[in-house]
């Protein structure tokens, strides 16, 4: 169930920035929370971590790079500074991370106060476009985890917003990109955004197509951006020998594998969680070029009063939605 509630306006600390929300996106994890199937969420929760906002006020200890009136997005993850991930400089994978809208109340509200280090200037981007930065950065980060170069063939399974980010970044690095999805509209958009090939995993012989495209070698990299049993198994089965598999999606149940492929292929299997500040900056640079078909990535825009109905519609037809943006006027 989703409803509108009144909450107190946040109090801003000396090291914090007060933000006025302009656009906040609903993502797949919000959909899972709405359906009651998100094991990570702490209920009840205010959703939202994909933000396009304006700075209203800054605390006295906030550096001059952040000023009232600026358009910004936010890094929605916390990091403890003490766990193994933080010690190794990979704060995006902090053991004790609390993401806005998941483990703590999120950004789907009029005002939000955050530590200044979590506020990211969005350059010349509009607040509307800035709400797309965080989900695309997750896909950008997966490409970094895969160490993609211009000699790689990269298969991205799942062409939602995160998968589209992976398609874009892999193409930017000069790789040959194969987009895989069950929806032809998403596959056509993936080709517009940089994929060289598109494979419909519902209607085509995936293995045969991959062998044709890769001259029998299989992809050097497979990025799993769905989180289902068949797509996880496809990633392991179809990646080439000595390839890299990068996992973004959370499978909802246990997955059985032919573990012989782990050894025979000498695979590198890597998780990819959230994003680093450098990934946010890379997405901003990409979006500032103006080549991204932003309007095609935004499936619906609603006011807060229409959010519950929009989520009902998304739940009824999840394959046809990229992003729903909630506009706070």
């Amino acid at each position: 169930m989703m409803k509108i509630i009144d909450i107190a306006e946040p109090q801003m600390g000396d090291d914090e920035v007060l933000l006025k929300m302009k656009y906040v996106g609903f993502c797949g994890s919000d959909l899972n929370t709405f359906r009651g199937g998100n094991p990570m969420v702490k209920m009840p929760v205010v959703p939202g971590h994909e933000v396009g906002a304006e700075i209203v006020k800054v605390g006295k200890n906030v550096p001059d790079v952040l000023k009232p009136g600026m358009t910004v997005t936010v890094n929605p993850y916390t990091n403890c500074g003490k766990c193994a991930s933080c010690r190794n400089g990979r704060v995006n994978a902090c053991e004790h991370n609390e993401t806005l809208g998941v483990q703590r109340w999120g950004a789907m509200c009029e005002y939000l106060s955050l530590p200044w280090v979590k506020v990211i200037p969005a350059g010349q981007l509009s607040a509307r476009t800035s709400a797309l930065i965080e989900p695309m950065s997750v896909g950008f980060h997966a490409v970094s985890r895969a160490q993609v170069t211009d000699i790689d063939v990269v298969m991205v399974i799942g062409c939602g917003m995160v998968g589209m980010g992976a398609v874009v970044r892999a193409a930017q690095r000069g790789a040959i990109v194969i987009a895989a999805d069950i929806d032809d509209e998403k596959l056509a958009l993936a080709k517009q955004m940089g994929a060289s090939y598109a494979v419909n995993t519902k209607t085509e012989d995936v293995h045969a197509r991959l062998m044709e495209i890769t001259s029998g070698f299989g992809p050097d990299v497979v990025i799993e951006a769905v989180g289902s049993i068949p797509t996880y198994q496809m990633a392991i089965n179809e990646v080439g020998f000595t390839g890299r598999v990068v996992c973004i999606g959370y499978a909802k149940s246990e997955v059985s594998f032919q573990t012989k492929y782990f050894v025979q292929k000498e695979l590198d299997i890597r998780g990819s969680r959230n994003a680093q500040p450098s990934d946010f900056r890379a997405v901003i640079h990409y979006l500032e070029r103006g080549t991204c078909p932003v309007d095609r990535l935004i499936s619906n825009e609603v006011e807060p009063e229409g959010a519950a109905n929009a989520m009902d519609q998304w739940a009824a037809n999840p394959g046809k939605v990229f992003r729903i943006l909630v506009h706070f006027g």
Side-chain angles (χ1 to χ4, degrees), residues 11 17 28 61 120 148 196 202 212 231 240 244 273 294:
Q11 299 299 307
V17 175
N61 295 335
I120 302 172
V148 170
S196 297
K202 187 176 182 179
E212 175 189 353
T231 52
R244 289 101 72 196
R273 184 182 180 194
V294 169

Side-chain angles (χ1 to χ4, degrees), residues 312-323:
D312 278 328
Q313 294 179 14
W314 191 8
N317 194 9
K320 290 295 182 182
V321 172
F322 281 106
R323 272 303 173 272

Side-chain angles (χ1 to χ4, degrees), residues 7-12 18 56-57 111-112:
I7 58 175
E9 185 170 325
Q11 299 299 307
M12 185 190 70
L18 181 65
V56 176
K57 190 188 305 184
Y111 294 94
L112 185 68

Side-chain angles (χ1 to χ4, degrees), residues 232-309:
Y232 260 89
Q233 292 172 335
M234 182 187 299
I236 298 298
N237 293 344
E238 299 300 343
V239 71
F241 275 62
T242 68
R244 289 101 72 196
V245 176
V246 176
C247 307
I248 309 175
Y250 282 96
K252 310 305 183 290
S253 56
E254 292 184 359
V255 184
S256 298
F257 295 105
Q258 290 287 344
T259 55
K260 66 179 183 180
Y261 291 144
F262 296 8
V263 179
Q264 286 180 342
K265 294 184 178 182
E266 198 174 52
L267 298 180
D268 290 334
I269 302 173
R270 306 173 184 180
S272 183
R273 184 182 180 194
N274 300 331
Q276 292 271 22
S278 59
D279 301 307
F280 282 82
R281 293 196 302 272
V283 173
I284 291 169
H285 284 309
Y286 162 65
L287 291 172
E288 283 182 326
R289 293 176 190 145
T291 59
C292 178
V294 169
D295 289 339
R296 293 191 64 186
L297 296 175
I298 298 171
S299 305
N300 194 8
E301 291 182 45
V302 298
E303 301 300 315
E305 293 78 11
N309 183 57

Side-chain angles (χ1 to χ4, degrees), residues 214-235:
T214 65
S215 300
F217 290 105
D220 303 287
V221 174
V222 176
I223 296 174
E224 199 289 332
V226 177
S228 71
I229 293 173
T231 52
Y232 260 89
Q233 292 172 335
M234 182 187 299

